[in-house]
Amino acid sequence: MARRLIWSVEARNSRKNIFDYWNNRNKSKAYSNKLNLLFNENLKTIIKLPEFGITTKNEDVKYSIISHFEIIYKVTNSEIVVLDIWDTRQNPQKFPIK
């Protein structure tokens, strides 16, 4: 049985903020579109192979690295919940998973 993909509010906000930043910085949506494609392709793999990601201290929470970003997600029996998208160039003290 395939798992459903759910985006948390935090993950949606992070994705929007990332895209807004790059749209404004580059004065174009081309890079944001490329990132969105990379995120979606990675998530398709995660849905098929939830164990694909790197395990954290919490066994249910994993993350997958894409370029300078990490998609942080939680695996349940019926869902993959995207918890956040983290730009690895940020201050590591603010990393959402301890």
Side-chain angles (χ1 to χ4, degrees):
M1 179 179 179
R3 291 179 169 96
R4 279 184 14 196
L5 182 67
I6 308 291
W7 285 82
S8 71
V9 173
E10 293 84 6
R12 278 191 237 137
N13 288 337
S14 292
R15 182 176 59 175
K16 180 186 180 313
N17 291 338
I18 290 166
F19 293 162
D20 287 348
Y21 170 80
W22 287 107
N23 293 345
N24 186 46
R25 183 172 188 262
N26 296 338
K27 305 298 185 228
S28 167
K29 292 185 178 181
Y31 185 66
S32 293
N33 290 337
K34 179 181 172 184
L35 282 178
N36 194 42
L37 191 69
L38 287 172
F39 293 162
N40 289 336
E41 289 299 315
N42 188 266
L43 288 168
K44 285 179 188 177
T45 302
I46 290 169
I47 289 170
K48 291 178 187 173
L49 303 166
E51 61 281 352
F52 172 75
I54 300 165
T55 306
T56 64
K57 290 179 184 178
N58 181 340
E59 290 182 23
D60 294 342
V61 178
K62 298 180 181 293
Y63 65 94
S64 177
I65 301 170
I66 306 164
S67 183
H68 295 287
F69 301 93
E70 294 176 355
I71 294 182
I72 304 161
Y73 63 97
K74 182 175 182 170
V75 179
T76 70
N77 289 334
S78 60
E79 299 174 335
I80 303 291
V81 181
V82 180
L83 301 173
D84 207 351
I85 299 178
W86 173 255
D87 186 334
T88 59
R89 296 167 289 192
Q90 296 179 51
N91 180 347
Q93 298 290 336
K94 296 181 181 179
F95 187 64
I97 296 180
K98 305 293 181 200

